[in-house]
Amino acid sequence: MSLTDMGAEVVKLLPPEAAHTATIKALKLGLGVPVRRPQMDPMLAVRLPKSGLVLPSPVGLAAGFDKNCDVPDAMAKFGFGFVECGTVTPKPQPGNPKPRLFRLNEDRAVINRMGFNNYGLDYFVRHLKTYRGDVPVGANVGANKESADRVADYVTGIEAVAPHAHYVTINISSPNTPGLRGLQDRSSLETLLAACGKADRAGKPVFLKVAPDLDAQAIADIVDVVRGPGAWLSGLIVSNTTLARPDTLKSAHRGETGGLSGAPLLSRSTEVLAAFARALKGEFDLIGAGGIASAEDAYAKIRAGANAVQLYSAMVYEGPGLAERINRGLPALLKADGFGAVADAVGTTL
């Protein structure tokens, strides 16, 4: 076990949100941060077809860990091929009442109802401007809970972050802001994407992050909108946390409200990813998220249609060295199936 992973074990003795806050503070001080980014196997290099993003590894850090863009430089050194910060809203907001973050240890899972707690766009952009790392950094934007015009919030967010980020993510799938997921409905999504398409004057790639709690009709509607008013998008991130509670959950916290992430989300999020991949037929980039805790999990997402993947919750249990371990394991999996690069394996189980 590395010193970094040992530190993560110590932090886990704290309550979940206090542990996260302590982790961010330590990273800002450089504690436990590798001196340099680890070398990547050339097999892992990825160029996303529509967005053109070039990644040294397909393994990215999902939004939610670094909400305020405090430590993208530090996280880039842990082996991530890209780092996504946020979710950020135009105005600062405290989020939902505490406690709002729960470890489901027996299930290798997390439930959160954070509610887009963040310091707002001004703070976020000041920090984003200072990023000097050598992997792409994305900015995940959302709407304020009390906003009278949520579409305008997304436009404001995109206009603010796009000049300084490598890509932008429109997050309409958090379950912890009342009514937000309604923006995934066909007519609301058409309105949102038409407005946001005019906001990205910097011409950066833009992704739409969707929920795993979508039925076949909802997936079909999103696909139609993405091909229509959303044709300017680079792709989708599939998926956010789930409101579902599988019967297999054992933890005493399983009844807490909020979004469930971690191991129990792997199967469902991969099924929804595959459904989008079959429908979109490579027309858009797909980033797979949800439940990834190993090289095998990441590989399953790639073979189900993901051009790249993201993780976050598994670091609670596996430590910050997880991305590097996945990077070490993926080449062997690719070679065993006769693939010479990540791109060769994308969608091969569809």
Side-chain angles (χ1 to χ4, degrees), residues 150-151 154 170 172 183 188-197 208:
R150 287 181 171 170
V151 170
Y154 284 100
I170 300 171
I172 57 171
L183 290 172
S188 298
L189 186 58
E190 287 175 342
T191 300
L192 174 69
L193 293 185
C196 289
L208 180 71

Side-chain angles (χ1 to χ4, degrees), residues 1-22:
M1 180 182 292
S2 70
L3 289 174
T4 299
D5 285 333
M6 287 174 64
E9 289 298 315
V10 172
V11 167
K12 280 199 294 185
L13 299 175
L14 297 172
E17 188 164 353
H20 183 263
T21 300

